[in-house]
Amino acid sequence: MNIISFPKLSVTLNINPVAFSIGSKPVYWYALIILSGFLLGMLFVCKTCEKRGVKKDYIWDIALIGLVAGIIGARIYYVLFALDEFDSLADMFKIWNGGLAIYGGITGAAISTLIYCRVKKINTPQVFDVCAPGLLIGQAIGRFGNFVNAEVYGGKTNSLFGMSINGAEPVHPLFLYESVWNIIGLAIILLFRGKKKADGQVFCFYIFWYALGRLFLEGMRNPDYILYIIPNALGISQLFSGLLIAAAGASLIYLHLKSRCSSEK
C-alpha cells in the first residue's frame, strides 16, 4: 500500500498496486492500465482508419503483432542498458519483475509494422500516420501505471503539483507531466492531420513531439530511474530523444519540400 498525496492540493490517496487476485496470483493495476491504454488507442484507430484509407483488418493485425513486438523491444532495450541488474540469463526474461523501456517498445512495434506493411504491400507512411494518435492515447493513459506503482518520479519540488510518496518530501509527478504533454500532442494531431501535404508527416510530428517532451522530462527524473550511457551525465533516453528530434525534424522538412515541389510541377 502506498500513500500518495499532493499536499498543496489537499489530495491524499491510499493505493494498493494489486487490483485483485486470481487464486494466489495477483493482478496489478499497472498491467490493467497499460492494457486499457492499448485497447483505447487501438479502438480509436479502428474507428477512424477506414476514413483515411486503411482497412480495419490491417489495424487489428498491426496492433496485435505490434503488442508482442513492443513488449520484446521494450525488454531488450532495458536489458541492454541495465545488464548489471541481472544475476542470470533467466532473470532477463522475467518481465513481471519490472524493466520495460518505452523507446524499445516503440521501436519494436514500428519494426513489426514496417515489416507487415511491406509484406501486405500497403502504404507504409499512411499506416503510420493513422496509428500515431492511438500511440499518444496509449502512452497518455499508460503513464498512470507509474503513478499507482509510485515510481519514475522527478526531483524534489515546491510546486503546486508536488507529489509526496509515503510521507516523503514532494517530488515532480513526471507521469502527469508526460501524460499532459501527450494529450496536447494528440490534440494538435487531430486538429491538423487533415491538412497534411504528404503521407508520413503526422507520424514524424508524433516522433518529434514525443521525443521533445522526453528530452526535457528525462532530465528531471530521479537518478534512480535513469539508464545512463555516461554515468551521472547523459541518459540513453536523452541521447535517443535528441537523435529522434533531429531525424523527425529533418523528415518533416524533407516531406514538406517534396510535397511543395510536387505541387509546383
Side-chain angles (χ1 to χ4, degrees):
M1 184 72 70
N2 290 309
I3 301 173
I4 302 177
S5 64
F6 296 85
K8 293 191 176 182
L9 296 175
S10 300
V11 174
T12 299
L13 301 169
N14 296 322
I15 299 178
N16 188 340
V18 177
F20 56 88
S21 297
I22 300 176
S24 60
K25 299 293 183 181
V27 176
Y28 291 91
W29 279 114
Y30 182 90
L32 295 178
I33 290 170
I34 296 295
L35 180 60
S36 297
F38 170 78
L39 290 175
L40 287 173
M42 185 178 67
L43 289 173
F44 178 87
V45 174
C46 285
K47 187 75 174 177
T48 59
C49 63
E50 293 190 343
K51 294 180 181 178
R52 301 187 177 278
V54 179
K55 293 181 180 179
K56 194 176 295 184
D57 288 345
Y58 290 153
I59 296 301
W60 280 100
D61 290 344
I62 288 168
L64 295 176
I65 296 170
L67 176 62
V68 176
I71 293 174
I72 294 172
R75 186 58 171 179
I76 291 174
Y77 182 105
Y78 184 87
V79 169
L80 285 176
F81 297 102
L83 289 172
D84 58 330
E85 294 183 12
F86 303 97
D87 297 324
S88 67
L89 182 63
D91 287 342
M92 296 180 182
F93 294 92
K94 297 177 181 178
I95 61 173
W96 52 88
N97 288 336
L100 297 175
I102 185 63
Y103 271 142
I106 293 172
T107 302
I111 291 172
S112 69
T113 301
L114 178 62
I115 294 171
Y116 181 89
C117 290
R118 292 293 177 87
V119 170
K120 292 292 186 178
K121 297 180 180 179
I122 55 180
N123 186 327
T124 303
Q126 184 182 32
V127 169
F128 275 89
D129 281 354
V130 169
C131 291
L135 291 171
L136 284 171
I137 291 171
Q139 289 167 321
I141 295 171
R143 272 303 170 195
F144 279 82
N146 297 134
F147 171 65
V148 297
N149 278 357
E151 62 184 6
V152 194
Y153 45 80
K156 296 176 182 178
T157 179
N158 290 317
S159 72
L160 177 64
F161 297 103
M163 176 179 68
S164 173
I165 300 172
N166 297 323
E169 290 187 65
V171 294
H172 285 288
L174 296 188
F175 81 93
L176 180 61
Y177 299 166
E178 186 169 327
S179 184
V180 171
W181 181 259
N182 289 336
I183 291 171
I184 294 171
L186 174 64
I188 294 172
I189 282 179
L190 294 182
L191 285 172
F192 293 104
R193 65 176 177 169
K195 299 179 181 179
K196 71 174 184 177
K197 301 299 183 181
D199 289 334
Q201 286 180 317
V202 174
F203 185 73
C204 286
F205 173 78
Y206 155 73
I207 292 294
F208 180 87
W209 182 263
Y210 182 72
L212 182 63
R214 281 300 299 270
L215 179 65
F216 288 101
L217 292 176
E218 196 73 16
M220 296 174 64
R221 279 194 181 197
N222 183 298
D224 292 341
Y225 294 106
I226 298 177
L227 296 176
Y228 284 105
I229 190 169
I230 300 177
N232 301 314
L234 180 65
I236 181 61
S237 288
Q238 288 175 301
L239 175 62
F240 201 44
S241 292
L243 294 174
L244 286 177
I245 290 169
S251 297
L252 284 169
I253 294 171
Y254 168 76
L255 290 171
H256 174 72
L257 294 176
K258 183 180 178 181
S259 65
R260 187 175 177 180
C261 290
S262 298
S263 64
E264 291 177 352
K265 289 181 181 181

